[in-house]
Amino acid sequence: MKNLGRNRVWKKKGFYNTTSLLSISLLIFIFIFIFISYTSHIPNSLLPISRTSQCTPQNLPGQRFLWYAPHSGFSNQVSEFKNAILMAAILNRTLVVPPILDHHAVALGSCPKFRVLGPGEIRLSVWNHVIDLLRSQRYVSMADIIDLSSLVSISVIQAIDFRDFISLWCGVNVDFDCFDESNDQSSLLDSLKQCGSRLSGLDGNVDKCIYALDEDCRTTVWTYQQNDDEVLDSFQPDEQLKKKKKISYIRKRRDVYKTLGPGSKAESATVLAFGSLFTAPYKGSELYIDINEAPRDQRISSLIQKIEFLPFVPLITSAAKEYAIETIKGPFLCAQLRLLDGQFKNHWKATFLALKNKVDSLKKGPLPISIFVMTDLPEADWHGSYLEDLARDSGSVKLYVLREKDELVIRTAKKLIESGHGMRLKQQCPPQVLPDILLYIEETVCSCASLGFVGTAGSTIAEGIEVMRKFNICPSHSQTAL
């Protein structure tokens, strides 16, 4: 009897347990049903982003992308853009064309001093700044300013606008042209923040989805077909720097195709994310990318030649020529004087001396000498400088200066908006703020200076103008007509 009683108790408890489990299961089923029904009516842009949704075949059918983190001033950004074109072509990836970042909104640091932002950090900084540009409606694509038609039309590279890439990658259905700070889009911003973190590689690499590079100028010099893969680079941190900064970096030369191309872990990823792509010659080597030729790849050899000079879009070039012909109306000298930024503020004497020597030599010819001045020093601050001396010497010199509020600059900026944007169709919501295009017009005017060009030593702006002059943006017959 005792055993029977115990058996009954056990059966009774088992009955209650079974009933409880069925009730809980039913509640869970009802909750899931309600959740699915509810979320099916929520816009995609407000839903959280899953770790794999960005790489589903329906969103990115067979495409493989390359994106990177531009930084510093415009000239550096153009230099990085050229390197990105080259990398995308070598690796057969679609290049994500970035916007033009605000001057020094994102800074890399110093490669020679081995003091730079890590690739993940700089990618996230760039992503956050791009979102700020979109929200403030100040987004200007690199393709809005640099003419890529000669590369895209003959399929030298495949490219996609960063805004379109965001829509695909983040799975958001948003017209970024109409994306501004006035709308309550906190959920969207949260989603974009998650997306940017993942794209920056802060969550680690995702198999066959994203491969975020950790290599930068402290450890790597990218090469191509130079038979030097894994060889130590000639530039290494010296012993004094190693001890002072407590660093142990070793720079190796690595073939980009062998490392990131077919057969590598990176090759299968939908998105390959670089950090900075800035490089420059340094102590007999290059800081990060040393690809100046491709001895066994005619396609890349041809591309290297093509990207040595990437022209501005025709609207900017035409505006500069109009200024040279209709305002200056004759032969002129261009003086590019960078005086306030970084190292240049300590080299006024040398900068002005080079200009003075050129002007003195020209004074032996016809007067007055027309000089187009391109400088970051406001006219109100010319007092006590050589520029003030030139301005007072009206008998021998006539100065010309373009300003941001000049009619030509404003008219060209408006036309640039009206003409459509780079690789995209005309915007539904044109920017409320006109793009700042003064620098681009100034550079082109300087390329037309038939009496010569005096640039600031070490300035990447001066280097860019020299390249433009080399490629004869203003044909000789036009300069003769000036």
Side-chain angles (χ1 to χ4, degrees):
M1 292 293 291
K2 290 183 179 178
N3 290 337
L4 181 60
R6 288 178 181 174
N7 191 42
R8 285 177 179 173
V9 172
W10 180 86
K11 285 183 178 180
K12 191 174 183 180
K13 288 183 178 178
F15 172 78
Y16 286 130
N17 287 342
T18 302
T19 303
S20 298
L21 286 173
L22 287 173
S23 300
I24 292 171
S25 298
L26 182 61
L27 287 172
I28 291 173
F29 174 79
I30 293 172
F31 174 78
I32 292 173
F33 177 78
I34 294 172
F35 178 78
I36 292 174
S37 300
Y38 173 73
T39 55
S40 65
H41 298 289
I42 300 177
N44 290 337
S45 61
L46 300 182
L47 289 174
I49 303 169
S50 71
R51 289 187 67 85
T52 58
S53 62
Q54 304 94 322
C55 297
T56 52
Q58 59 266 30
N59 287 341
L60 310 169
Q63 295 189 61
R64 298 183 312 124
F65 300 93
L66 182 150
W67 93 284
Y68 68 102
H71 55 82
S72 304
F74 174 72
S75 297
N76 281 350
Q77 292 178 47
V78 171
S79 175
E80 288 186 88
F81 186 55
K82 293 178 181 180
N83 290 330
I85 291 173
L86 188 58
M87 292 295 199
I90 291 173
L91 298 171
N92 193 28
R93 287 181 173 271
T94 298
L95 175 62
V96 180
V97 178
I100 296 172
L101 275 58
D102 291 339
H103 188 69
H104 293 319
V106 180
L108 172 65
S110 173
C111 285
K113 295 180 180 179
F114 292 80
R115 189 179 65 242
V116 297
L117 277 183
E121 294 175 285
I122 199 166
R123 283 190 291 261
L124 187 60
S125 294
V126 168
W127 178 275
N128 291 336
H129 182 62
V130 170
I131 300 304
D132 286 342
L133 292 175
L134 287 168
R135 294 182 67 194
S136 59
Q137 293 193 332
R138 294 183 298 113
Y139 190 107
V140 177
S141 172
M142 184 65 76
D144 297 338
I145 304 301
I146 299 296
D147 187 0
L148 302 180
S149 59
S150 63
L151 299 179
V152 176
S153 62
I154 58 176
S155 299
V156 174
I157 60 164
Q158 299 296 319
I160 183 172
D161 187 272
F162 193 92
R163 289 160 289 191
D164 296 330
F165 174 70
I166 289 178
S167 296
L168 286 171
W169 173 261
C170 299
V172 294
N173 185 20
V174 176
D175 185 352
F176 283 108
D177 294 334
C178 303
F179 183 48
D180 60 46
E181 297 174 331
S182 62
N183 299 328
D184 182 14
Q185 305 192 49
S186 58
S187 297
L188 172 60
L189 291 174
D190 287 342
S191 293
L192 290 174
K193 184 177 180 180
Q194 294 176 42
C195 187
S197 177
R198 187 159 306 124
L199 189 62
S200 300
L202 298 187
D203 298 337
N205 292 335
V206 181
D207 189 35
K208 295 185 179 180
C209 184
I210 178 169
Y211 190 92
L213 287 167
D214 288 328
E215 291 84 354
D216 59 27
C217 61
R218 294 172 292 187
T219 61
T220 304
V221 178
W222 293 114
T223 65
Y224 182 57
Q225 295 187 342
Q226 295 185 25
N227 299 319
D228 59 358
D229 193 38
E230 297 298 325
V231 174
L232 291 179
D233 187 62
S234 60
F235 170 58
Q236 301 289 338
D238 58 39
E239 293 302 320
Q240 182 179 1
L241 184 63
K242 286 182 180 179
K243 292 179 180 179
K244 182 178 180 181
K245 300 296 182 181
K246 296 181 180 180
I247 59 175
S248 57
Y249 297 113
I250 297 175
R251 284 167 44 95
K252 288 187 177 181
R253 299 174 69 81
R254 305 179 68 187
D255 188 292
V256 66
Y257 189 76
K258 291 180 180 179
T259 306
L260 305 174
S264 68
K265 291 182 179 180
E267 197 270 340
S268 62
T270 301
V271 178
L272 175 63
F274 281 88
S276 165
L277 285 176
F278 175 76
T279 192
Y282 190 76
K283 292 189 175 181
S285 183
E286 286 281 341
L287 290 177
Y288 190 48
I289 298 172
D290 189 4
I291 305 176
N292 299 307
E293 58 182 359
R296 298 184 299 279
D297 191 332
Q298 183 56 45
R299 180 178 69 95
I300 298 301
S301 291
S302 176
L303 180 60
I304 290 172
Q305 295 177 2
K306 285 180 178 293
I307 64 175
E308 181 183 356
F309 170 62
L310 295 177
F312 289 119
V313 293
L315 273 173
I316 291 174
T317 303
S318 297
K321 291 180 179 180
E322 176 186 333
Y323 182 83
I325 293 172
E326 298 184 10
T327 301
I328 301 180
K329 299 178 181 179
F332 67 98
L333 170 71
C334 172
Q336 181 266 334
L337 308 172
R338 192 171 178 183
L339 302 170
L340 299 181
D341 191 27
Q343 60 176 333
F344 306 104
K345 59 187 177 183
N346 299 319
H347 296 87
W348 282 35
K349 185 176 181 180
T351 301
F352 282 135
L353 180 60
L355 176 58
K356 185 178 185 303
N357 290 339
K358 181 65 176 179
V359 171
D360 288 345
S361 67
L362 289 174
K363 282 183 177 180
K364 298 175 183 178
L367 298 176
I369 304 164
S370 295
I371 303 177
F372 177 70
V373 178
M374 175 185 177
T375 183
D376 55 356
L377 184 67
E379 291 178 66
D381 297 331
W382 285 11
H383 178 72
S385 73
Y386 181 59
L387 283 174
E388 183 186 34
D389 296 340
L390 289 176
R392 288 180 173 179
D393 190 7
S394 57
S396 301
V397 173
K398 187 172 183 180
L399 299 184
Y400 294 86
V401 178
L402 255 177
R403 300 170 183 84
E404 189 176 351
K405 294 184 179 180
D406 285 356
E407 187 273 336
L408 173 68
V409 178
I410 294 175
R411 169 164 42 94
T412 305
K414 289 180 178 179
K415 284 183 178 180
L416 200 65
I417 292 175
E418 294 168 358
S419 67
H421 274 236
M423 297 175 296
R424 310 180 92 218
L425 299 175
K426 188 174 181 180
Q427 292 180 314
Q428 297 300 317
C429 301
Q432 300 301 309
V433 180
L434 289 176
D436 184 1
I437 62 171
L438 177 60
L439 173 66
Y440 321 135
I441 298 177
E442 287 179 321
E443 289 188 14
T444 310
V445 170
C446 282
S447 74
C448 296
S450 55
L451 294 183
F453 170 66
V454 177
T456 303
S459 168
T460 52
I461 295 175
E463 293 171 2
I465 293 170
E466 292 286 11
V467 172
M468 294 175 71
R469 293 177 63 82
K470 173 183 174 181
F471 281 82
N472 200 21
I473 296 305
C474 289
S476 56
H477 67 272
S478 294
Q479 290 191 0
T480 301
L482 291 176

